[in-house]
Amino acid sequence: MSRHVTPQRLKMDWMLKDLASSVPQTRHIVVLSSDGLCMAQSGADGDTADRLAAACAGLQSLSGAIAAEFPHGTGQMRLVVIEVSGGFFYLMAAGTGAYLAVLADDGWTPA
């Protein structure tokens, strides 16, 4: 997929690369919009980042539907954690209409 690289995008990619290098076992980081568009990424090629962003959009929608079932909650998804053979997946809200997705290899323990 062709990408329009803006100065904002370059700055976010750089910040994500810095974050990835400072957290052991980080494989991929993707910032995505609520409609599944990759806004920035580190550690993934463009196709991988796009696939992750699309999958995360569905996951955040599903988690929002589940969150709405809690009568005293806000109905907002804050964090989704999935443990799979070989690693972990984290999806968290990162501002209005944006989400941060992180894939980490097995052996990383969040603080």
Side-chain angles (χ1 to χ4, degrees):
M1 170 178 275
S2 66
R3 297 177 184 280
H4 179 69
V5 180
T6 64
Q8 262 185 322
R9 167 76 188 255
L10 288 174
K11 184 176 180 181
M12 283 201 312
D13 284 352
W14 177 83
M15 287 188 299
L16 295 178
K17 183 177 179 182
D18 188 50
L19 173 64
S21 67
S22 68
V23 179
Q25 308 300 109
T26 301
R27 177 174 292 275
H28 303 303
I29 302 176
V30 175
V31 174
L32 62 131
S33 64
S34 59
D35 58 355
L37 297 176
C38 178
M39 298 165 58
Q41 61 87 22
S42 176
D45 62 50
D47 289 341
T48 300
D50 287 339
R51 278 194 314 274
L52 288 171
C56 289
L59 188 56
Q60 68 86 14
S61 178
L62 177 61
S63 62
I66 292 168
E69 296 302 317
F70 290 90
H72 301 294
T74 64
Q76 300 287 317
M77 182 278 288
R78 287 192 257 174
L79 174 68
V80 173
V81 179
I82 299 174
E83 182 177 2
V84 297
S85 175
F88 297 87
F89 167 78
Y90 302 87
L91 177 65
M92 60 211 75
T96 304
Y99 298 88
L100 176 71
V102 178
L103 273 72
D105 289 332
D106 215 5
W108 181 65
T109 305

